[in-house]
Amino acid sequence: RAAAAAAVASAMQSLFPSSVSAQLAPYLAADDPFFWMAIVATVFLPTFWNIVARAEYRTHFLTRLMCGSRYLGVYFLASIIIAISAMRSYFIHESLANNPQFELDDQLAMLLGYPLIAVGSILLAGSYYHLRIVHTYLGDYFGILMKERVTTFPFNVIDDPMYNGGVMIYLGDAILAKSYAGLALVVVVKLTYLVSTTLFEGPFTTMIYEKAAQEKAAKKQRKQKKQQ
């Protein structure tokens, strides 16, 4: 791990001229490997799960790998996503400690940071409670569809409560650490989730349910014709 961090630090030093690094120095340690690894992990994670989940939807390769069990396929994918998420969180928290701080009263930082973490945690917990592990980790792509859309808390107060809850937690951590790098990473996380849900995950999930509804309606019509 230390060798990888050193390699990343060396690469960043080569990318940024000394004059640029000097200008960034009050706000960001440009050679901090954890900051850049956090960005890579943040962008990679939704890219990975969207590619893998779409491949599963089209080919069922994970289901076949798990001896035909869709649920085992979901659990396998979930374990990978959780592991990468843990790595990303580790990189982010290491970056908070390695970068310059902005000035903010300690009490004000706590008044802002802890409520953000608390609310974000509630949103996450509420989402997990309703979706469980199967629908949190893309069970729809495995053909395990929900009977109806969840419209209770927290889904009735904010869109994508799981993603936004995570962003709020990272923002609270950044404020508590008084970290410019932390704030920058929050923006990266938010933009990455926004692109993922708006352009990829959201439309594809909608297509899955629309196609399932059409197939159900067609099946019902065929059944009615047979009865006539």
Side-chain angles (χ1 to χ4, degrees):
R1 190 174 62 187
V8 173
S10 177
M12 291 305 104
Q13 285 178 336
S14 64
L15 284 176
F16 288 92
S18 57
S19 59
V20 174
S21 296
Q23 291 177 343
L24 290 174
Y27 313 103
L28 174 68
D31 61 347
D32 172 31
F34 293 106
F35 177 79
W36 301 107
M37 287 191 289
I39 290 178
V40 170
T42 296
V43 175
F44 171 79
L45 187 56
T47 304
F48 166 77
W49 78 51
N50 275 292
I51 291 174
V52 172
R54 289 188 181 204
E56 163 61 25
Y57 177 77
R58 294 188 174 104
T59 67
H60 310 295
F61 79 103
L62 282 177
T63 298
R64 292 200 301 269
L65 183 65
M66 295 292 113
C67 302
S69 173
R70 294 180 296 176
Y71 284 90
L72 286 179
V74 174
Y75 298 146
F76 179 72
L77 178 59
S79 66
I80 297 175
I81 294 174
I82 291 170
I84 299 174
S85 297
M87 289 176 57
R88 177 185 63 183
S89 295
Y90 171 76
F91 294 150
I92 290 176
H93 283 93
E94 287 296 309
S95 183
L96 296 181
N98 293 343
N99 279 273
Q101 293 182 316
F102 54 81
E103 293 186 5
L104 183 66
D105 179 74
D106 288 342
Q107 290 187 341
L108 181 57
M110 289 189 289
L111 285 173
L112 294 173
Y114 284 124
L116 280 168
I117 293 172
V119 173
S121 298
I122 291 171
L123 293 177
L124 280 176
S127 299
Y128 272 113
Y129 175 79
H130 289 293
L131 300 179
R132 301 294 195 270
I133 190 169
V134 170
H135 292 291
T136 295
Y137 295 103
L138 305 163
D140 318 277
Y141 292 69
F142 290 76
I144 309 171
L145 304 184
M146 301 185 71
K147 294 181 179 179
E148 58 185 3
R149 185 175 182 177
V150 180
T151 56
T152 54
F153 180 86
F155 294 89
N156 60 348
V157 296
I158 189 171
D159 291 331
D160 301 313
M162 184 163 292
Y163 294 149
N164 285 310
V167 170
M168 293 176 73
I169 291 173
Y170 285 134
L171 178 57
D173 287 338
I175 291 174
L176 288 173
K178 306 176 187 177
S179 171
Y180 289 110
L183 295 178
L185 289 171
V186 167
V187 174
V188 173
V189 172
K190 176 61 179 178
L191 288 177
T192 302
Y193 282 155
L194 186 62
V195 170
S196 177
T197 56
T198 303
L199 300 181
F200 302 102
E201 190 174 340
F204 202 84
T205 302
T206 299
M207 181 276 293
I208 290 174
Y209 279 90
E210 287 179 348
K211 185 177 179 180
Q214 291 170 359
E215 291 175 351
K216 184 178 180 180
K219 184 178 180 181
K220 184 177 181 181
Q221 287 180 348
R222 289 193 299 267
K223 185 177 180 181
Q224 289 175 344
K225 288 181 180 180
K226 288 181 179 180
Q227 292 175 346
Q228 290 176 351

